[in-house]
Amino acid sequence: MDGYFGIALALIASTLRVSTPLLFASLGGLVSERSGVVNIALEGMMLVGAFGAAVVALSSGSPWLGAAAGAAAGLVFAVFYALIVIQLRADQIVAGTAMNMLAAGATPFLSKILYDSTGSTPGLPIDARFQFAPVVLAWAFVLLVWLWIAYTPSGMWLRFAGEKPEALEAAGVRVNRVRWTSVMLSGALAGIGGASLSIFLASSFSRNMTAGRGFMALAALIFGKWKPFPTAVACLLFGFADALQIRLQGVILWGTEPVPVQFIQILPYLATILVLAGLVGRSRAPRALGLPFRKP
Amino acid sequence: MILRRLGWIGASCSLVFALAAPSCFAAGLKVALVLDKGGKDDKSFNSAAFRGVTQAKEELGISLKYVEATDDNAFESLLRAFAQKKFDLIIAVGVSQADAVKKVAPKFPEQKFAIVDAEVDLPNVRSLIFEEHEGSFLVGAIAGLTSKTGTIGFIGGMDIPLIRRFEMGYVAGAKQVNPKIKLKSNFIGITGDAWHNPAKAKELAIAQYSGGADVIFAAAGASNGGLFDAAEELKKLAIGVDSNQNWIKPGYILTSMLKRVDTAVYDVCKDTQSGKFSSGIKRFGLASTGVDYAVDEFNEKLLPPAVREKVEKLKADIIAGKIKVPDYYQKKK
């Protein structure tokens, strides 16, 4: 296990684990945004999912039921979002921000009601947590979402809802119905992403445990040009930068003093900026992204 | 329309929270507690403060209002709101509230303030300072005596002087009992998110354990849970912080570095009630058991008598001044 091979293996395992919540969330973002609905509420959807998953995994002892509950919680939360931005045509950025605040406030509140503890839910025993399954599941979902969008009629509706909603409506498909479905699906995916945080990478829900991952997922989505596989690769890259950063802290690269921790810790973000600015080329958003659809 | 209202609610929620909170009319000393982001159930630092005021409520009959600030910008308005509601004693928990206390306390000279972890030099403020390096020295010695691989780990929340102080004492303690000990040290993040990111703490712990460390001490607030998960899964040892965390994963938590915020907070309530409030800096070190290491039914078996004896000896030497524990704060000056 020792030597470079062991280090490389540990690094790969770490990358896969760290990128799992990002993968789910960015797929969620992809489904919503390709249908024309900006989704900066991903962070909140993840948080709600993480909470729901922790509660159900704790009471049932099954991580699978927990993950399902995480998806359900994210979905229910997304229904509110869809109602506000699709039905009532609110500004999607502002509404998304409000949803994130709502999630950050509602989860400790519910936790207080259930467990009389605002900080975190009680710890999950080891057999109520996932060991490796979410990593595989995440990649299965990448494949599924890609197949769906590229090869099925409903996948095509999704793309048209985001590119040329008028054309889709003219063809007899209700644009807003497509968007409703995608936003709900988006919530479910982000919810599983949150679940993979609370019942896979950690052992309980703790307040604000998403720690900005919803926004990282959005960045990965833009970076991946709103396409499933490039987005997944972007998530991997973020995960890799994070895993590498963990192992570079305190390493002496030159001289006698290690590189300051703060410098090492900005590397993932620095890498993101450099890659976004230089290597990706133009990343074009769906044409109707952020525009509420009104029947002509 | 709904949207506009929603945004407004979001923007003003902290303010509403602040105004709504202090609205009780009970007799006795009115004490307000402003907790930081971790919240009263972080099982660590804020929990300790909350235990202290709860004890004061039960034993001294004070009336208590507490609030958890979800945002660093809320501290000032929360402190001011409590002061305007004529609370007798307002306790601010955490170094990040120092500036807010400095601004608000001079405007309410009749009321008393206390701040945990920061020095604020004002006539109506008591600063509660803990000698974290001394307690960390002892858990470092325990880690040094327990480690079989000769490598120990440290995980800090953010790279700030307070956390460096823990680290420095910890390393010094381990070196005291095993001069050849090696340290792996990591920090979780560069923003306040670091205090509630257990997933990242777990990754760091896995990296340290697989790199040869067999005991890890974490000073990372609510992120500590990630370390404990890693210890459980890899069958290694961890050391908790601030509160006694031994119970969280019995058998995998070697000990906890105690920071008796609860006693300090209780004392300030008691002193204020009996009219003996004094301002200035109160230091809590090993001598006053303001910092210590935890032994209870959950970790007795992990600490053999030989280890405990040696650590007690070190503790006595520090109190007697025979051992000088390096202090990161002094180094900076």
Side-chain angles (χ1 to χ4, degrees):
Chain A
M1 272 308 282
D2 282 290
Y4 291 112
F5 182 68
I7 293 174
L9 210 62
L11 200 58
I12 292 170
S14 182
T15 301
L16 287 175
R17 280 194 302 266
V18 172
S19 54
T20 298
L22 288 180
L23 271 177
F24 280 114
S26 63
L27 282 179
L30 187 141
V31 170
S32 162
E33 301 219 337
R34 285 299 285 271
S35 81
V37 181
V38 177
N39 195 346
I40 66 165
L42 281 179
E43 180 89 3
M45 292 171 178
M46 285 180 85
L47 206 54
V48 170
F51 178 73
V55 170
V56 171
L58 183 72
S59 56
S60 70
S62 156
W64 291 102
L65 284 180
L75 193 145
V76 171
F77 193 71
V79 166
F80 286 108
Y81 182 62
L83 185 71
I84 295 169
V85 299
I86 300 174
Q87 215 68 19
L88 305 169
R89 289 188 284 272
D91 183 282
Q92 296 169 0
I93 302 285
V94 181
T97 309
M99 292 303 279
N100 286 337
M101 287 179 177
L102 180 65
T107 44
F109 177 67
L110 291 173
S111 170
K112 166 96 184 163
I113 293 173
L114 288 174
Y115 306 110
D116 194 28
S117 159
T118 54
S120 60
T121 57
L124 292 165
I126 210 158
D127 52 353
R129 317 204 284 261
F130 282 119
Q131 297 309 317
F132 198 71
V135 174
V136 182
L137 202 62
W139 285 95
F141 270 107
V142 173
L143 190 68
L144 280 177
V145 169
W146 172 66
L147 288 173
W148 175 48
I149 291 182
Y151 293 108
T152 66
S154 59
M156 197 168 73
W157 297 346
L158 178 90
R159 282 180 283 147
F160 266 89
E163 294 288 342
K164 281 234 179 293
E166 306 82 7
L168 185 64
E169 192 80 17
V173 180
R174 302 266 296 274
V175 170
N176 281 346
R177 194 171 286 176
V178 174
R179 288 185 174 178
W180 261 96
T181 318
S182 1
V183 170
M184 278 155 62
L185 192 61
S186 163
L189 283 166
I192 304 179
S196 68
L197 262 181
S198 65
I199 63 178
F200 170 49
L201 298 181
S203 66
S204 68
F205 168 84
S206 57
R207 165 193 288 219
N208 291 336
M209 74 184 306
T210 43
R213 286 180 180 85
F215 294 100
M216 290 290 277
L218 268 186
L221 178 62
I222 295 169
F223 183 7
K225 303 184 183 181
W226 287 270
K227 293 184 181 119
F229 278 104
T231 300
V233 170
C235 291
L236 269 189
L237 188 76
F238 288 164
F240 177 72
D242 213 23
L244 189 66
Q245 177 259 105
I246 284 169
R247 281 158 183 84
L248 280 180
Q249 279 188 34
V251 171
I252 296 166
L253 289 181
W254 60 82
T256 51
E257 284 284 304
V259 185
V261 175
Q262 289 87 348
F263 182 74
I264 300 288
Q265 285 176 331
I266 61 170
L267 284 181
Y269 308 100
L270 208 62
T272 310
I273 294 171
L274 288 179
V275 171
L276 272 180
L279 297 178
V280 182
R282 239 174 87 75
S283 180
R284 194 187 64 81
R287 206 178 301 272
L289 183 62
L291 306 173
F293 182 75
R294 205 185 284 259
K295 251 188 206 174
Chain B
M1 278 315 280
I2 283 192
L3 172 68
R4 201 171 295 163
R5 224 171 290 155
L6 255 183
W8 194 85
I9 289 167
S12 61
C13 66
S14 64
L15 189 68
V16 172
F17 196 22
L19 295 176
S23 59
C24 81
F25 304 93
L29 190 76
K30 283 170 76 181
V31 177
L33 180 73
V34 180
L35 298 162
D36 76 8
K37 262 185 175 172
K40 78 174 173 63
D41 298 303
D42 66 355
K43 297 179 191 155
S44 181
F45 179 61
N46 287 283
S47 289
F50 189 72
R51 266 201 313 281
V53 287
T54 310
Q55 192 194 349
K57 186 179 166 190
E58 281 160 12
E59 292 178 14
L60 307 172
I62 60 161
S63 74
L64 168 71
K65 275 283 157 187
Y66 71 91
V67 62
E68 298 171 343
T70 49
D71 172 1
D72 282 359
N73 299 318
F75 292 138
E76 197 184 322
S77 54
L78 289 170
L79 292 170
R80 183 169 283 123
F82 279 126
Q84 280 165 349
K85 294 267 176 182
K86 302 279 178 228
F87 274 74
D88 305 299
L89 173 66
I90 298 156
I91 304 170
V93 179
V95 63
S96 43
Q97 303 203 44
D99 288 335
V101 172
K102 271 177 206 160
K103 270 191 210 161
V104 176
K107 300 205 175 93
F108 300 91
E110 297 303 310
Q111 282 142 287
K112 314 294 185 210
F113 290 80
I115 178 153
V116 182
D117 268 4
E119 295 182 17
V120 175
D121 187 18
L122 287 168
N124 59 336
V125 179
R126 181 186 281 189
S127 308
L128 309 170
I129 302 288
F130 293 83
E131 310 293 10
E132 290 94 358
H133 56 303
E134 295 184 0
S136 302
F137 185 90
L138 293 187
V139 298
I142 294 176
L145 290 167
T146 310
S147 172
K148 293 191 182 74
T149 57
T151 304
I152 56 170
F154 176 81
I155 296 175
M158 286 166 80
D159 186 4
I160 55 174
L162 174 70
I163 298 302
R164 286 283 183 185
R165 199 181 194 210
F166 280 92
E167 185 197 22
M168 199 178 217
Y170 175 68
V171 181
K175 287 237 157 87
Q176 181 84 23
V177 297
N178 179 1
K180 276 189 264 171
I181 201 114
K182 280 195 226 128
L183 175 82
K184 290 189 176 284
S185 178
N186 286 143
F187 292 89
I188 295 171
I190 40 178
T191 63
D193 281 340
W195 307 111
H196 45 79
N197 197 344
K200 181 77 180 284
K202 188 177 172 188
E203 281 301 320
L204 289 167
I206 290 174
Q208 292 190 357
Y209 283 138
S210 55
D214 56 353
V215 182
I216 300 177
F217 174 39
S223 299
N224 267 30
L227 164 65
F228 302 150
D229 289 343
E232 183 187 29
E233 284 169 24
L234 300 175
K235 310 267 179 277
K236 307 274 183 181
L237 292 168
I239 298 177
V241 81
D242 293 348
S243 286
N244 183 349
Q245 300 186 312
N246 297 353
W247 59 275
I248 299 178
K249 292 272 153 74
Y252 300 102
I253 302 183
L254 184 56
T255 183
S256 301
M257 197 290 260
L258 298 178
K259 191 165 150 182
R260 303 308 300 267
V261 181
D262 47 349
T263 335
V265 165
Y266 176 81
D267 286 350
V268 73
C269 292
K270 197 174 171 187
D271 288 353
T272 311
Q273 193 175 41
S274 53
K276 283 187 235 149
F277 178 89
S278 56
S279 58
I281 296 166
K282 283 255 178 188
R283 288 185 188 280
F284 297 85
L286 280 178
S288 53
T289 64
V291 292
D292 209 342
Y293 67 100
V295 182
D296 59 16
E297 72 266 31
F298 299 112
N299 69 340
E300 272 171 339
K301 289 192 194 111
L302 299 172
L303 293 178
V307 171
R308 259 189 268 174
E309 263 166 44
K310 276 189 193 152
V311 176
E312 284 301 318
K313 172 86 174 55
L314 288 173
K315 187 171 164 184
D317 284 351
I318 295 170
I319 294 172
K322 277 189 231 161
I323 296 178
K324 188 95 184 80
V325 180
D327 182 354
Y328 190 80
Y329 288 169
Q330 298 304 322
K331 182 193 163 194
K332 297 245 328 181
K333 276 168 194 166

